[in-house]
Amino acid sequence: MTADPTCIFCKIVAGHVPSKKVYEDDELLAFHDINPWAPVHFLIVPKTHLASFYDVEAQHQAMLGKMMVLAPRLVRDLGVTNGFRTIINTGADGRQEVPHLHIHVIGGPRPWARG
Ligand code: AMP
Ligand code: ZN
């Protein structure tokens, strides 16, 4: 498991920065976004540092599949029944702010603050 000591999400994975955890296993962590767009807004991240969706390779296939399978399960667990958005921002033009791969999972009754 590689970590970047300057990366905020690696610090969250290591427990050095607090988060409101939604889910955790040996490979993945999900936690509530600190600046939510909607009643439910959490992020699913790999525990290993991977800068962005650009950096995904064949070796990450199973982990990505796991992230995608987890999203509807967790959003349902949080009571979302009327649809949700999944967003992966990638790179500068993709407006990625945190350079550690993450899937936004956003839902709950509208109106939303954003999105
Ligand atoms: P992105 O633009 O896709 O890189 O989005 C990064 C997201 O991470 C934003 O929605 C931020 O609100 C969120 N974020 C940044 N720092 C934290 C943190 N310490 N805990 C939870 N969410 C965070
Ligand atoms: Zn990281």
Side-chain angles (χ1 to χ4, degrees):
M1 197 90 69
T2 56
D4 175 342
T6 67
C7 168
I8 181 80
F9 288 176
C10 284
K11 289 180 189 173
I12 286 176
V13 166
H16 299 149
V17 167
S19 70
K20 280 170 63 190
K21 222 170 271 184
V22 174
Y23 172 87
E24 181 170 20
D25 65 27
D26 56 337
E27 226 178 355
L28 304 178
L29 178 69
F31 53 92
H32 291 281
D33 196 291
I34 206 166
N35 187 17
W37 291 15
V40 172
H41 184 173
F42 62 90
L43 308 173
I44 304 176
V45 309
K47 285 190 166 178
T48 193
H49 182 79
L50 194 60
S52 85
F53 206 24
Y54 266 138
D55 302 286
V56 160
E57 295 173 356
Q59 69 187 91
H60 302 119
Q61 189 168 317
M63 182 186 77
L64 282 168
K66 205 165 140 185
M67 290 169 83
M68 296 306 280
V69 168
L70 198 56
R73 186 185 127 196
L74 295 182
V75 86
R76 223 183 268 121
D77 286 352
L78 291 169
V80 171
T81 56
N82 200 36
F84 62 97
R85 294 186 68 176
T86 42
I87 299 171
I88 306 176
N89 296 321
T90 304
D93 286 349
R95 295 269 158 86
Q96 184 182 1
E97 287 169 12
V98 177
H100 179 131
L101 175 66
H102 52 281
I103 302 181
H104 293 258
V105 183
I106 305 169
R110 287 182 179 271
W112 294 356
R114 288 177 69 187

